[in-house]
Amino acid sequence: NAGVTQTPKFRVLKTGQSMTLLCAQDMNHEYMYWYRQDPGMGLRLIHYSVGEGTTAKGEVPDGYNVSRLKKQNFLLGLESAAPSQTSVYFCASSLRRSVADTQYFGPGTRLTVL
Amino acid sequence: RKEVEQDPGPFNVPEGATVAFNCTYSNSASQSFFWYRQDCRKEPKLLMSVYSSGNEDGRFTAQLNRASQYISLLIRDSKLSDSATYLCVGQTYSGAGSYQLTFGKGTKLSVIP
């Protein structure tokens, strides 16, 4: 049981390049989330999904797209990377998005955009 | 204004000391609160939920004061392994049966031998 995994762990992009971050969970969780964490900031929600085939915007969605084609996978895409998207990206999942439901985080992807 | 605010620290305490962190929140509609722990360059992990009646888990005690809109975390008999950043988290209903977590920036604790 691996929990939540993220691929890749590190990546360096040039401005304007595109990439996709992959999140996978093996806990049969309904809900999945993408956050970014920047120095001096709390984690901020980018997008989330309440089930296969559904996605919704979070607090900071601009510049990102997501897809949830399979229940266990949640993809985060950057179509045209910008230096402002340099950050640590965390994926999380929860059984359901209800009160007091624990979110389990992946190990993170460290992205640098030059 | 950030909805969840914490003193960033760092708190440097000797082993065996008792240390307390406070966190304030501005959204009175927030329904649930949590403390997460985040080790350096690692992912956040749930430490404990916070209830109005107060709850204890070993050396850790959490308390919620809704009237004053603050949450506290008390760590007794600090261990070197307690060194981490502690994130205060509020959960608010965001409609359509779903809830959103709002994270504080975290309080850094260093326990010194």
Side-chain angles (χ1 to χ4, degrees):
Chain A
N1 189 331
V4 181
T5 58
Q6 293 182 231
T7 308
K9 289 185 169 54
F10 305 93
R11 185 72 186 267
V12 177
L13 290 178
K14 293 181 180 179
T15 297
Q17 288 185 317
S18 64
M19 78 163 295
T20 300
L21 282 67
L22 170 64
C23 175
Q25 52 93 7
D26 61 2
M27 298 176 283
N28 200 35
H29 283 175
E30 289 294 331
Y31 293 86
M32 297 187 74
Y33 319 82
W34 276 106
Y35 293 90
R36 61 178 289 174
Q37 186 174 38
D38 302 294
M41 307 280 290
L43 278 88
R44 293 181 292 170
L45 183 65
I46 305 171
H47 285 279
Y48 64 97
S49 167
V50 300
E52 183 178 320
T54 71
T55 63
K57 293 180 180 180
E59 180 186 354
V60 288
D62 294 342
Y64 305 95
N65 56 75
V66 288
S67 63
R68 183 107 179 261
L69 299 180
K70 295 182 178 180
K71 185 177 182 179
Q72 64 267 35
N73 295 337
F74 195 28
L75 278 62
L76 177 71
L78 285 74
E79 291 185 348
S80 180
S84 61
Q85 294 178 304
T86 293
S87 188
V88 180
Y89 292 86
F90 287 103
C91 175
S93 71
S94 62
L95 187 59
R96 60 189 180 281
R97 202 167 191 243
S98 65
V99 174
D101 212 16
T102 303
Q103 289 192 16
Y104 296 88
F105 285 80
T109 295
R110 297 184 177 277
L111 175 66
T112 301
V113 183
L114 302 176
Chain B
R1 179 184 170 186
K2 185 68 176 176
E3 290 190 13
V4 177
E5 296 194 20
Q6 301 179 245
D7 181 343
F11 284 64
N12 299 314
V13 301
E15 271 187 289
T18 296
V19 61
F21 306 139
N22 289 330
C23 161
T24 60
Y25 63 94
S26 59
N27 188 349
S28 58
S30 295
Q31 297 177 291
S32 301
F33 299 90
F34 311 89
W35 284 100
Y36 275 72
R37 171 193 169 127
Q38 186 172 23
D39 293 298
C40 186
R41 302 180 72 84
K42 298 288 188 181
E43 72 272 23
K45 293 183 179 179
L46 179 67
L47 178 65
M48 59 196 304
S49 301
V50 187
Y51 305 114
S52 294
S53 55
N55 48 302
E56 189 173 309
D57 183 1
R59 298 180 294 106
F60 299 85
T61 301
Q63 185 78 50
L64 166 63
N65 184 320
R66 287 195 183 273
S68 300
Q69 296 189 192
Y70 81 78
I71 305 107
S72 63
L73 176 68
L74 183 75
I75 305 175
R76 292 179 299 278
D77 189 21
S78 299
K79 311 292 185 190
L80 295 177
S81 58
D82 294 334
S83 297
T85 296
Y86 291 84
L87 309 177
C88 179
V89 184
Q91 186 174 51
T92 309
Y93 183 65
S94 54
S98 65
Y99 295 80
Q100 181 165 322
L101 295 183
T102 300
F103 288 80
K105 297 178 183 180
T107 298
K108 186 174 181 180
L109 171 65
S110 294
V111 181
I112 304 164

